[in-house]
Amino acid sequence: MQLGMIGLGRMGGNIVRRLLRDGHTAVVFDQNPDAVASLVAEGAVGAASLEEFVSKLDVPRAAWVMLPAGAITEATVAKLGDLMASDDVIIDGGNSFYKDDIRRAAELKPKGIHYVDVGTSGGVWGLERGYCMMIGGDTDALDRLDPIFKTLAPGIGTIPRTPGRDGRDARAEEGYIHAGPSGAGHFVKMVHNGIEYGLMQAYAEGFDILKHANSKDLPEGQRFDLNIGDIAEVWRRGSVVSSWLLDLTAGALAGDENLTDFSGFVADSGEGRWTLNAAIEESVPANVLSAALYARFRSREDASYADKLLSAMRKGFGGHVEPK
């Protein structure tokens, strides 16, 4: 199947590569001509403008936008809406705000253009591991795009099946779901990222306590000089707190237990704030998630070891490099 990709950064480029490996075809566009040339060398069809990009897509067209949330995505979707025709599909796979998805879908509907929002998780590892996808949009568009999503998803792999799921949508076990109408995909991904904040903060604080177990504030007989890297490694193996985030933590600590390459400045990309706004609108308490977001704010004033570990995890799963 053919897919057009706009935005060939950390995730967009690898999404195209995963599709090409499975026999799909791709038309690609990016403001950086070198990024386009790199994928053309791997078998994609390049375009030098959005107009050329649309002209090279087979009808009915499918164009995936993988750009930073905000003005650039807004402008690109609007431009595609002018260039594309009835029964075409515009996909936003970035981390857009779900209410923007609802509005865009409504704006494109009179033209007969389908709008699909794909909350995409997998970071820089998605090329090999696959991408977990939470998808919003109408059923007809998703059914048409299913071969794309099936290739991008991780598949069942070696994860044991969950007892009692017989008769349920099998796509969830493959690593992707139709979450609901336009906006639902990014809503689910937004909450996913809010939870991610809380998980990362819990690991960071716990390892900070371990790191300071030999503090001079403690009585001498109660101090421990612990090997933090070994603790991360042993917890990966059979522990109830094992996870991919812990795997990334262990990798970072094996390289440098003091995390000297990390400033401790921890950015937030918006989803944590949006999650808390949703919690307020729904009158749902979110004590842990709000504390995790506030901890990121505090990190920009006075970095701690916990903040450095958060930075290390963000670099591990998403290639994020914090300012020094």
Side-chain angles (χ1 to χ4, degrees), residues 40-108:
V40 168
E42 297 178 48
V45 175
S49 67
L50 279 179
E51 290 80 3
E52 182 184 1
F53 169 84
V54 171
S55 73
K56 290 185 174 182
L57 293 174
D58 298 335
V59 177
R61 306 172 185 89
W64 185 308
V65 179
M66 201 66 174
L67 298 169
I72 185 170
T73 292
E74 192 72 41
T76 302
V77 170
K79 182 68 172 178
L80 287 173
D82 292 336
L83 294 172
M84 296 174 77
S86 179
D87 212 28
D88 290 346
V89 182
I90 297 174
I91 306 158
D92 179 5
N95 282 325
S96 290
F97 185 41
Y98 74 97
K99 291 184 180 179
D100 290 336
D101 295 316
I102 296 170
R103 171 180 51 78
R104 291 174 193 152
E107 292 169 351
L108 292 167

Side-chain angles (χ1 to χ4, degrees), residues 3-292:
L3 179 74
M5 177 64 71
I6 301 169
L8 306 175
R10 288 192 301 260
M11 291 182 69
N14 280 344
I15 286 174
V16 172
R17 291 183 178 95
R18 189 170 173 92
L19 291 172
L20 293 175
R21 287 182 179 183
D22 201 37
H24 298 278
T25 60
V27 179
V28 298
F29 171 69
D30 193 282
Q31 294 291 344
N32 179 359
D34 291 339
V36 175
S38 176
L39 281 164
V40 168
E42 297 178 48
V45 175
S49 67
L50 279 179
E51 290 80 3
E52 182 184 1
F53 169 84
V54 171
S55 73
K56 290 185 174 182
L57 293 174
D58 298 335
V59 177
R61 306 172 185 89
W64 185 308
V65 179
M66 201 66 174
L67 298 169
I72 185 170
T73 292
E74 192 72 41
T76 302
V77 170
K79 182 68 172 178
L80 287 173
D82 292 336
L83 294 172
M84 296 174 77
S86 179
D87 212 28
D88 290 346
V89 182
I90 297 174
I91 306 158
D92 179 5
N95 282 325
S96 290
F97 185 41
Y98 74 97
K99 291 184 180 179
D100 290 336
D101 295 316
I102 296 170
R103 171 180 51 78
R104 291 174 193 152
E107 292 169 351
L108 292 167
K109 188 174 182 179
K111 302 178 181 180
I113 298 173
H114 304 277
Y115 181 87
V116 173
D117 53 290
V118 182
T120 312
S121 182
V124 297
W125 298 87
L127 176 59
E128 301 300 334
R129 291 171 58 105
Y131 300 90
C132 173
M133 291 168 291
M134 300 135 270
I135 309 165
D138 65 78
T139 300
D140 289 345
L142 267 67
D143 286 348
R144 186 197 309 170
L145 295 167
D146 192 71
I148 295 292
F149 298 136
K150 191 172 182 64
T151 287
L152 294 178
I156 293 178
T158 59
I159 299 174
R161 296 195 66 195
T162 301
R165 280 200 54 87
D166 292 342
R168 293 175 177 262
D169 190 341
R171 291 175 294 184
E173 292 182 309
E174 297 281 345
Y176 66 110
I177 59 168
H178 182 188
S182 295
H186 277 149
F187 183 85
V188 175
K189 178 57 162 48
M190 174 190 76
V191 178
H192 163 284
N193 284 22
I195 293 170
E196 179 185 292
Y197 281 31
L199 291 171
M200 293 171 68
Q201 187 65 32
Y203 280 127
E205 291 179 8
F207 278 99
D208 206 13
I209 294 169
L210 295 170
K211 180 70 172 176
H212 290 88
N214 62 348
S215 169
K216 293 180 180 179
D217 294 334
L218 296 169
E220 188 171 348
Q222 298 177 18
R223 298 176 193 172
F224 304 107
D225 186 12
L226 301 172
N227 188 312
I228 308 302
D230 283 356
I231 293 171
E233 185 62 31
V234 76
W235 282 356
R236 291 180 60 213
R237 304 180 183 279
S239 163
V240 73
V241 299
S242 60
S243 72
W244 186 33
L245 286 173
L246 186 58
D247 294 346
L248 298 171
T249 298
L253 293 173
D256 175 13
E257 190 169 303
N258 291 317
L259 303 172
T260 52
D261 288 339
F262 296 94
S263 67
F265 181 107
V266 185
D268 71 284
S269 51
E271 296 89 342
R273 303 182 190 214
W274 299 340
T275 302
L276 293 186
N277 287 338
I280 291 168
E281 291 172 356
E282 298 169 8
S283 300
V284 172
N287 302 331
V288 172
L289 305 191
S290 60

